[in-house]
Amino acid sequence: MTAYSTLRFDAARCTGCGDCMTACAVAKTGSDDPGRSRLRVLPGNTPGTWEAAVCRQCGDPRCVSFCPAAALAKDPETGTVEWDGAKCVNCLLCTVGCAYAGIAFDAAAGHVAKCDHCGGNPACAAACGEGALEWMTTARIYNEVGQDEDLFVPGLAGCQGCNTEIVMRHAMRRIGPDCVLATPPGCVPGMGSVGYNGMTGTKVPVFHPLLTNAASMLAGVRRAHKRQGRDVLAVALAGDGGASDVGFQSLSGAAERGEEILFIVIDNEGYMNTGMQRSSCTPFGAWTSTTPVGERGRGKTQDAKNLPLIMVMHECDYVATASTAFMEDFYAKLDRAIAAARHGFAYLHVYSPCTTGWRFPAEKNIEVARRAVECNFVTLWEFTPEAGLRFTRDPDRPRPLADYLSALGKFRHLGADQVGHLERHLAENVKRLRGLAREPAAA
Amino acid sequence: MSGAGPLSPTVPASHPEKRGLLRMTPSLRPGEADMAAVLEKKKPKVIVCDGNEAAAWGVSLANVDMVAVYPITPQSSLVEYVAKFVADGRLKADIVDVEGEHSVLSVLQGGMLAGARTYTATCGPGLAFMFEPYLRTPGLRMPMVMSIVTRDTLSPQSVWGGHQDAMSVREAGWIQLYCETVQEVLDTVVMAYRIAEHHDVMLPVNVCHDGNYLSYGASRVELPEQADVDAFLGAKDVNWHVALDPTRPMGVDPLTGGAGGPGPRMFVKYRKGQCRGMQNALAVIEEAHAEWNRHVGRWHAPLIEPYRMEDARFALVTLGSMTGAAKDAVDEARGAGVSVGLVKVKTYRPFPLKAIAAALAPVEAVGVIDRSVDFGFDCGPLYKDVLGALAGLPRRIPARSFIGGLAGADITVGHVQRVIGEVAELAASGTPGPTAWLNERD
Amino acid sequence: MHSHYLILGASHAALSAVAAIRMADTDNALTVVAKEPHLPYSPTVLPYVVSGRSDPARIALADEAWFGERKVDVLRGTGVAGVDPVLRRVRLADGRELFYDKLLVATGARPFVPPVPGLSALPFHVLRTLDDALALREAARGARRALVLGAGLIGSHAAENLAKAGLEVTVVEREPRMLPAYFDARAAAIIERRFAEHGVRVLTGATVRTAERAAEGCRLGVENGAGWEALEADLLVVGAGVVPATDFLAGTRMDGNRGIPVDDDMAAAEGIWAAGDCARVASFYGGPPVVGGILPDAVQQGRVAGQAMAGDPGRKPYAGAIPLNTYTFFGHQAVSVGVQDLPGAETHRCGDPAAGRDLKVVTRDGRLAGIFGIDWPFDGGVMWELILRRVDLAPVMDRFLADPQDTARTLMSKLWR
């Protein structure tokens, strides 16, 4: 089944203002009566929360199956369930078919009405000032990238639910085959990407640099090809430990020199491949195998090094943070990073929850990644020397930090003082970024 | 195989570089005197420069593509010369000013894997810092060239010459060539590329020249013609065997080994191949020196240089610039009727075991002068290796270790005369004394 | 001829089964046998064909392309003569034989004609096929007075359409109210009032006893509580319900006109499944099995049957039939979800019958059992889900009764968003 663009409702951001409903009513009926909106925002089960009832444009829509008059059909191009007024007999059976209240009788119009995505430019999302309604382009990206070749072999030996493998495969799909890939020791080569005993897991030129010198080796690779008049993208898929600790010197040196490299750090907050030891990117309070929890030990006692911000201070041609829970954002940044790596140093920091090392169920990976962002544990932004720093997701009104911490075993032991420390640190971090940001977040 | 001998044995012994200069006049191998006629017509370009500049000239002549630099005493002026050559447009190379020696070698490894001919230089602490990428260079069969402007290792803190840095990496799998003169520095840097890139070798080469003595000592140097060097080196082909290139995608350096499956035999295959390349290098080094002589008209002894070893009863073994003073001392001793000779080791790794054994086989005692120490055996490392060569001979030849010239100290004619005296005594007693430290009472 | 999957019938249950099978099995041969020559359509749309609201050329639920994409062979215009479950063979009316591995019977229902003496000798119309609809539409053009037997969905729709077409219409219903299967007396009264307002005479609690030809067309003798009445008309429509169309099963264990009994996988016998108006299924509320005869149920059952036939590991057993329908009349909307009454159930009445609006909510143990409204906004699909999930409404009951639509939507957001 093909996936499509769709509306995404983020309950945590909704204020119940009703602007979306008014916009929908105006766009669809010419009336500003929110009662005529095809999207309905309603009070949630707890006061102050809001929910939305709107057509999900189901993959196998029951409203279509229930229609005796063939008046409803799913458009195979757009994925939108389209209503044909000329065929509709007003029997309302479609409303019985929908478990989401996505199609309902509009008494003023005298017939059923449903969301049609305004032909791909939904008025409701445009009217939402809170970012609660978004027109998601994930599906478009899926359709595009789905055509690209996966440049890793099937069956890499990552842990179940590995997020890093997702980052690797998506990034390399976008980057394509005309590149040289460095994967310093860690989970990326550890799951077999470079290979073992004469076999390789990657379809592009790939190598094991040292943990310490990925950026330096890539600088040489890029320069040598360039001398020969060739534009071969130099790419690193590195772990946070190698990048922020022992490999930091070469990373910093290459960034300062403006080497033409796309350096992607997959941040799983420690040395997960070697057995979950602490790195300088490990957050405060986190359990690791070298910051264990015991009678006296209560996890790491220092805050994480803010590596992407440090890279901003190198005035790299491009710096951004990303998360696999926000793929359209990730892909947009990949595109910009790839372009930047043809004229300077591009740095992409992708947060990658580790099911094994962070202690949470494998199937929760994307949920954990999403909560990390929603709680501001991770902020999504990008930087160029020309445009400065810009949030790509507004850090205003984050979810409570507890929603994130409670999902992870590595934070299970935290006391109130430690949680307080983290909250202050994260708030400070957002404040610092805001100070650097030159323009408001993207809509 | 003996050279033509010094033109002026009366030059004061306190100026080893000056003596080196005097020995720079081309020496022809027996039977190749016809080359002299060719050389007469060429009128070589002559400059006066120190060893660091000479190395830079070698780099320039070898048409290197990529040089990564990080300054360190006594190497600094070498990379400054290279940078100047690049700035002047004489050398059309990428020069990468990196943030440390670790990245120096790493950048070059990347460049080499993408097809570049590469060069750098370092010493002492810098060499120690690049040890991690240094170790994998020969394992990946990377034909790179790096000068070690030798310097004693820390601590005690020191910035002066000594072979301890190069000796500390003698088992890392690099070829090590030690130069005696400034001219030899230039010539050897160029020859090193032919050796490293030879398909039977494919190993990195350290061209070692002594810090202070050769790095800063100025001499008369003949510059080879670029066309001759080009003809000598032939076409560049550094990454035919391992490459990072989208037109030839491969996984470079996958995990290899382990206890089961194809792992053990695969790892052994690579290790043995590396050892074979090292042994192949012995013949390739000889061939390169012969070809250098053919193209450029200058002869250097490739593996070892036996000096006045005919009918010698005792022998000295030397390494690097100390050889000049040693040759003077040998000349003086011969003049006094002492039957002593000298074997200079140029190729230290791979160790020319057979050549050394053959050269020393006739003598009654051997004295080996080292500019570094072997901590495990309380002697010099070259001494220990020479013992290995002697051990294969049917007759036991007593040998003694002499250590001198550490941290910039001189090894003078006087020091070598003392060594000759000790070796004469050793020949009589047959019992070697303990390691002798030449500068202990200076 | 052999087909791995063979489906008899081509309406909602059959199409739903095709889709479900092809979700799980894209390869094995699939054949659909359609009795009529037309592309598949819904019987539910037929009243609108009669009224002219629907263009018969634009009511197809699936076209050749749809079947082609799903690699389905369609044999149109032939009925089924018999099934041999042992040999796994189907005989078609045109004499062809089809062998199958898995058979779905989704042949739907045919009109029930009450056993009134003389009726079968009269010219009358039923409304089950497109041809029926076209014939009725044609007949209505020249007619003046119509008699409609039965005030179920078909009969009521037919009566309204004929009235709108200018005919003088009388409806005769045996039960004491219109739409007895979906609405109670209070709601039915509202509906009946609207019919009366539009000039339709509705006789409830009335039984047709005699039928004979008359000068105009026909004359029926009708008995109600008060006595006898003779009704004449030039157009007679019989809309007295349907019975499963399974005559071809005569001689098998699935014989009979009370529907093919099936389990919660819609399996009827070894290698045979049944779905839709011809299947007899368990009721969601317990008690004896029922023949649903409604469109949403046909879709659901067809999907379950298709999934079971293809061995789809993701299938869920059929949850049981829940009466469910919508009915629009003279511009008003009636929605019925669930049952009117249950032992131990509580009935909540809201609404404003005088204004023609009504709401009735039936709950048991705080769970929704049924909800019935006339011109009262709520989402039938959300209510159906509340019943299926047995959602406890007790904490929000007051809100639910005051505003069933938004309260149910909020619950929906929390429970299955």
Side-chain angles (χ1 to χ4, degrees):
Chain A
M1 193 183 301
T2 316
Y4 302 98
S5 301
T6 192
L7 278 173
R8 174 175 177 267
F9 175 69
D10 182 350
R13 288 170 166 253
C14 181
T15 62
C17 69
D19 288 353
C20 53
M21 293 197 284
T22 306
C24 178
V26 169
K28 292 295 149 195
T29 70
S31 147
D32 61 359
D33 172 11
R36 298 200 56 195
S37 170
R38 295 166 183 191
L39 157 86
R40 183 120 182 111
V41 169
L42 19 114
N45 289 283
T46 48
T49 65
W50 300 90
E51 299 290 357
V54 66
C55 175
R56 265 70 173 166
Q57 319 289 354
C58 296
D60 183 15
R62 210 160 55 174
C63 57
V64 174
S65 298
F66 280 18
C67 178
L72 286 161
K74 189 170 177 70
D75 185 323
E77 291 301 315
T78 63
T80 307
V81 175
E82 301 285 1
W83 173 76
D84 182 346
K87 287 181 168 185
C88 178
V89 296
N90 248 344
C91 70
L92 303 191
L93 277 167
C94 51
T95 69
V96 177
C98 182
Y100 304 106
I103 185 163
F105 186 70
D106 177 351
H111 55 73
V112 291
K114 70 177 292 296
C115 168
D116 61 1
H117 283 167
C118 297
N121 184 22
C124 54
C128 181
E130 312 298 329
L133 272 171
E134 286 181 283
W135 177 241
M136 297 284 286
T137 51
T138 308
R140 179 180 58 76
I141 284 167
Y142 171 86
N143 290 335
E144 279 177 28
V145 180
Q147 308 303 315
D148 296 340
E149 187 180 3
D150 185 348
L151 293 173
F152 293 102
V153 298
L156 292 181
C159 300
Q160 189 179 37
C162 178
N163 192 294
T164 295
E165 187 177 343
I166 296 172
V167 177
M168 290 161 58
R169 289 188 188 274
H170 281 282
M172 290 309 296
R173 268 176 193 267
R174 199 55 152 192
I175 288 163
D178 201 15
C179 71
V180 167
L181 174 63
T183 69
C187 293
V188 177
M191 67 178 79
S193 56
V194 181
Y196 184 39
N197 282 334
M199 293 180 293
T200 181
T202 311
K203 302 179 194 170
V204 300
V206 63
F207 69 105
H208 244 144
L210 299 164
L211 189 53
T212 42
N213 71 356
S216 301
M217 286 190 73
L218 284 176
V221 169
R222 171 72 180 175
R223 283 169 179 263
H225 282 302
K226 204 173 176 185
R227 273 181 73 79
Q228 300 159 33
R230 297 172 58 192
D231 181 14
V232 174
L233 201 69
V235 184
L237 285 169
D240 58 285
S244 68
D245 292 341
V246 74
F248 180 69
Q249 175 174 319
S250 65
L251 171 62
S252 172
E256 180 270 331
R257 292 192 303 277
E259 301 285 358
E260 295 166 3
I261 295 172
L262 169 52
F263 203 96
I264 301 175
V265 167
I266 303 177
D267 181 2
N268 54 20
E269 299 182 348
Y271 294 91
M272 297 300 141
N273 188 57
T274 43
M276 303 165 260
Q277 296 87 1
R278 164 211 199 273
S279 81
S280 57
C281 282
T282 302
F284 175 87
W287 169 92
T288 69
S289 59
T290 52
T291 58
V293 176
E295 205 146 291
R296 298 181 55 176
R298 296 180 60 206
K300 193 187 175 197
T301 53
Q302 303 83 16
D303 285 308
K305 181 189 277 185
N306 193 330
L307 191 53
L309 206 49
I310 292 169
M311 298 317 290
V312 167
M313 296 305 160
H314 283 71
E315 292 276 316
C316 299
D317 277 13
Y318 188 74
V319 180
T321 62
S323 162
T324 50
F326 297 84
M327 289 305 281
E328 70 288 351
D329 179 67
F330 178 30
Y331 268 107
K333 287 169 176 172
L334 261 176
D335 286 344
R336 289 193 275 275
I338 291 166
R342 301 198 188 282
H343 54 72
F345 199 87
Y347 178 87
L348 195 52
H349 194 100
V350 191
Y351 292 92
S352 182
C354 171
T355 56
T356 308
W358 297 13
R359 299 174 165 182
F360 63 90
E363 74 275 13
K364 295 283 186 209
N365 205 311
I366 298 301
E367 176 63 19
V368 166
R370 181 177 300 283
R371 283 195 205 181
V373 173
E374 290 173 345
C375 298
N376 277 356
F377 204 91
V378 163
T379 47
L380 299 181
W381 50 263
E382 67 180 357
F383 165 88
T384 62
E386 301 77 34
L389 190 144
R390 182 183 76 101
F391 286 104
T392 57
R393 188 182 183 282
D394 194 336
D396 274 354
R397 294 182 298 281
R399 277 173 77 159
L401 183 58
D403 287 358
Y404 178 62
L405 300 180
S406 62
L408 305 178
K410 71 171 177 177
F411 289 124
R412 188 174 299 137
H413 58 279
L414 290 191
D417 56 330
Q418 289 173 295
V419 173
H421 176 103
L422 275 172
E423 281 169 343
R424 284 190 299 279
H425 174 72
L426 296 177
E428 195 57 43
N429 189 39
V430 169
K431 200 172 135 193
R432 187 179 299 125
L433 288 167
R434 218 186 279 288
L436 293 169
R438 286 193 211 155
E439 52 175 287
Chain B
M1 293 270 285
S2 166
L7 297 179
S8 171
T10 57
V11 170
S14 56
H15 295 287
E17 267 72 40
K18 196 172 178 187
R19 282 197 307 281
L21 161 71
L22 293 173
R23 280 197 192 84
M24 269 307 98
T25 307
S27 335
L28 302 187
R29 296 176 77 175
E32 296 194 6
D34 52 329
M35 283 299 291
V38 180
L39 289 170
E40 280 304 309
K41 295 174 195 162
K42 280 204 170 175
K43 294 263 179 193
K45 183 179 177 190
V46 174
I47 61 166
V48 173
C49 71
D50 63 19
N52 280 354
E53 187 178 348
W57 276 105
V59 172
S60 180
L61 286 163
N63 274 325
V64 165
D65 296 306
M66 192 178 290
V67 181
V69 301
Y70 189 81
I72 184 168
T73 303
Q75 161 265 35
S76 301
S77 65
L78 194 167
V79 295
E80 289 164 11
Y81 284 122
V82 175
K84 186 74 167 53
F85 287 174
V86 172
D88 291 347
R90 183 192 301 281
L91 172 58
K92 288 173 183 57
D94 252 297
I95 185 153
V96 193
D97 282 88
V98 297
E99 78 293 342
E101 288 88 351
H102 194 285
S103 282
V104 163
L105 204 49
S106 302
V107 165
L108 297 184
Q109 288 179 347
M112 175 264 138
L113 287 166
R117 180 175 280 169
T118 56
Y119 176 81
T120 191
T122 190
C123 69
L127 179 60
F129 182 41
M130 69 166 61
F131 192 53
E132 193 193 18
Y134 184 87
L135 272 181
R136 80 188 312 218
T137 313
L140 275 171
R141 310 300 292 271
M142 296 174 159
M144 302 165 68
V145 174
M146 174 168 83
S147 289
I148 301 180
V149 188
T150 60
R151 168 175 163 179
D152 236 310
T153 57
L154 313 182
S155 275
Q157 180 70 260
S158 167
V159 294
W160 297 286
H163 290 162
Q164 197 68 46
D165 51 0
M167 283 296 164
S168 297
V169 296
R170 65 188 186 273
E171 301 308 343
W174 287 59
I175 291 168
Q176 283 195 348
L177 305 175
Y178 285 75
C179 298
E180 180 186 345
T181 65
V182 172
Q183 181 74 59
E184 194 177 14
V185 170
L186 187 157
D187 295 350
T188 305
V189 164
V190 181
M191 285 191 284
Y193 284 100
R194 179 162 168 145
I195 297 161
E197 294 170 12
H198 194 285
H199 285 200
D200 293 343
V201 178
M202 297 309 290
L203 285 169
V205 178
N206 282 147
V207 177
C208 306
H209 69 259
D210 291 4
N212 301 70
Y213 284 92
L214 291 178
S215 65
Y216 300 151
S219 300
R220 175 185 182 278
V221 168
E222 292 181 5
L223 286 182
E225 293 291 324
Q226 185 67 54
D228 292 340
V229 172
D230 290 348
F232 167 77
L233 284 176
K236 250 180 240 179
D237 187 15
V238 302
N239 68 342
W240 56 274
H241 62 311
V242 54
L244 288 172
D245 181 344
T247 64
R248 286 188 286 153
M250 62 176 81
V252 174
D253 215 9
L255 202 61
T256 305
R265 99 177 145 262
M266 192 168 283
F267 197 89
V268 167
K269 179 185 132 186
Y270 286 124
R271 267 289 185 272
K272 274 187 78 175
Q274 205 179 326
C275 290
R276 192 167 58 245
M278 213 55 175
Q279 289 307 305
N280 290 346
L282 289 168
V284 171
I285 291 167
E286 289 189 295
E287 178 195 279
H289 283 68
E291 288 296 305
W292 182 255
N293 188 28
R294 193 167 72 79
H295 285 93
V296 178
R298 190 159 41 247
W299 168 255
H300 301 284
L303 304 178
I304 60 169
E305 180 192 351
Y307 179 75
R308 300 195 79 168
M309 282 296 287
E310 60 281 357
D311 307 325
R313 287 182 58 213
F314 331 117
L316 308 180
V317 182
T318 61
L319 198 60
S321 67
M322 72 168 83
T323 307
K327 283 176 175 171
D328 281 355
V330 165
D331 288 342
E332 285 178 22
R334 283 275 186 173
V338 180
S339 183
V340 64
L342 177 151
V343 174
K344 178 189 89 171
V345 175
K346 176 170 190 188
T347 301
Y348 180 56
R349 287 290 182 271
F351 191 64
L353 191 94
K354 285 178 187 163
I356 289 175
L360 297 178
V363 304
E364 294 168 25
V366 176
V368 182
I369 307 176
D370 272 286
R371 204 159 195 157
S372 61
V373 302
D374 181 316
F375 292 105
F377 288 78
D378 192 22
C379 62
L382 178 59
Y383 165 76
K384 198 179 71 178
D385 289 325
V386 168
L387 285 188
L390 296 178
L393 296 174
R395 181 173 59 89
R396 178 180 169 270
I397 301 172
R400 188 172 179 190
S401 177
F402 299 87
I403 292 173
L406 302 186
D410 286 336
I411 297 179
T412 62
V413 174
H415 289 120
V416 181
Q417 283 168 339
R418 181 184 145 204
V419 172
I420 293 170
E422 297 277 358
V423 175
E425 273 182 38
L426 175 59
S429 69
T431 309
T435 295
W437 298 75
L438 297 180
N439 304 100
E440 203 168 13
R441 296 193 192 86
D442 286 0
Chain C
M1 187 177 156
H2 172 266
S3 180
H4 184 71
Y5 299 106
L6 179 58
I7 296 179
L8 307 180
S11 192
H12 289 290
L15 297 178
S16 181
V18 168
I21 288 170
R22 282 300 182 232
M23 288 290 270
D25 178 354
T26 54
D27 296 327
N28 278 305
L30 198 169
T31 303
V32 167
V33 175
K35 185 174 181 181
E36 295 175 53
H38 312 291
L39 285 169
Y41 62 87
S42 174
T44 305
V45 82
L46 296 177
Y48 306 96
V49 172
V50 175
S51 72
R53 174 81 183 83
S54 290
D55 175 358
R58 300 191 67 210
I59 58 171
L61 298 175
D63 55 15
E64 299 292 358
W66 190 89
F67 286 115
E69 283 163 17
R70 287 159 183 77
K71 294 197 280 183
V72 181
D73 288 325
V74 186
L75 308 178
R76 285 196 272 168
T78 179
V80 178
V83 175
D84 183 341
V86 177
L87 292 177
R88 300 202 179 199
R89 180 183 60 186
V90 168
R91 243 176 331 103
L92 300 183
D94 62 12
R96 280 183 288 179
E97 290 189 336
L98 292 174
F99 291 88
Y100 64 83
D101 296 322
K102 299 176 180 189
L103 176 71
L104 174 66
V105 180
T107 43
R110 59 178 168 77
F112 170 69
V113 180
V116 178
L119 180 59
S120 57
L122 294 178
F124 64 85
H125 290 268
V126 292
L127 191 51
R128 185 65 193 182
T129 67
L130 181 55
D131 293 341
D132 292 342
L134 295 174
L136 179 56
R137 187 176 69 177
E138 188 56 37
R141 281 184 187 145
R144 197 172 55 80
R145 274 201 297 182
L147 263 175
V148 178
L149 300 193
L153 283 170
I154 291 289
S156 301
H157 272 301
E160 178 179 343
N161 290 333
L162 293 172
K164 282 178 175 169
L167 278 72
E168 183 188 326
V169 181
T170 304
V171 181
V172 181
E173 169 59 48
R174 214 171 67 167
E175 297 292 321
R177 61 180 190 273
M178 287 185 77
L179 298 156
Y182 301 108
F183 297 100
D184 70 0
R186 185 167 110 165
I190 294 173
I191 298 170
E192 284 160 19
R193 202 169 78 214
R194 296 288 179 213
F195 271 78
E197 283 166 12
H198 286 81
V200 178
R201 186 171 175 224
V202 180
L203 300 176
T204 55
T207 309
V208 180
R209 295 296 186 197
T210 61
E212 57 189 344
R213 280 189 183 276
E216 195 180 3
C218 67
R219 181 187 301 119
L220 302 186
V222 176
E223 181 191 8
N224 61 18
W228 283 72
E229 185 176 355
L231 299 171
E232 287 193 11
D234 53 2
L235 182 65
L236 177 59
V237 178
V238 175
V242 294
V243 291
T246 55
D247 301 336
F248 55 88
L249 292 175
T252 72
R253 288 189 304 163
M254 294 165 287
D255 194 2
N257 61 5
R258 299 182 61 242
I260 306 166
V262 293
D263 65 10
D264 59 9
D265 267 346
M266 298 293 132
E270 185 67 29
I272 301 180
W273 288 259
D277 292 0
C278 64
R280 190 167 196 84
V281 298
S283 163
F284 178 78
Y285 302 92
V290 295
V291 176
I294 56 172
L295 190 161
D297 232 4
V299 170
Q300 291 300 94
Q301 293 173 15
R303 173 200 293 266
V304 172
Q307 288 177 327
M309 291 166 75
D312 187 333
R315 72 182 185 273
K316 285 180 185 163
Y318 180 62
I322 295 176
L324 188 71
N325 232 316
T326 57
Y327 175 55
T328 55
F329 56 100
F330 299 109
H332 301 278
Q333 283 75 38
V335 177
S336 158
V337 182
V339 288
Q340 297 282 349
D341 200 8
L342 272 183
E346 208 180 327
T347 297
H348 312 265
R349 287 236 77 125
C350 317
D352 182 3
R357 301 174 68 235
D358 190 38
L359 178 70
K360 172 181 170 183
V361 175
V362 179
T363 61
R364 185 166 68 174
D365 302 330
R367 268 81 175 165
L368 188 64
I371 180 166
F372 313 89
I374 294 178
D375 284 350
W376 202 281
F378 59 81
D379 305 296
V382 176
M383 298 304 170
W384 189 12
E385 203 68 22
L386 288 176
I387 296 172
L388 279 170
R389 290 168 184 259
R390 298 185 166 89
V391 174
D392 185 6
L393 297 181
V396 295
M397 189 61 82
D398 290 344
R399 258 172 64 202
F400 185 85
L401 295 176
D403 183 359
Q405 184 171 46
D406 274 3
T407 307
R409 286 176 175 183
T410 297
L411 288 168
M412 176 270 291
S413 297
K414 183 180 164 67
L415 294 171
W416 66 87
R417 179 164 72 96

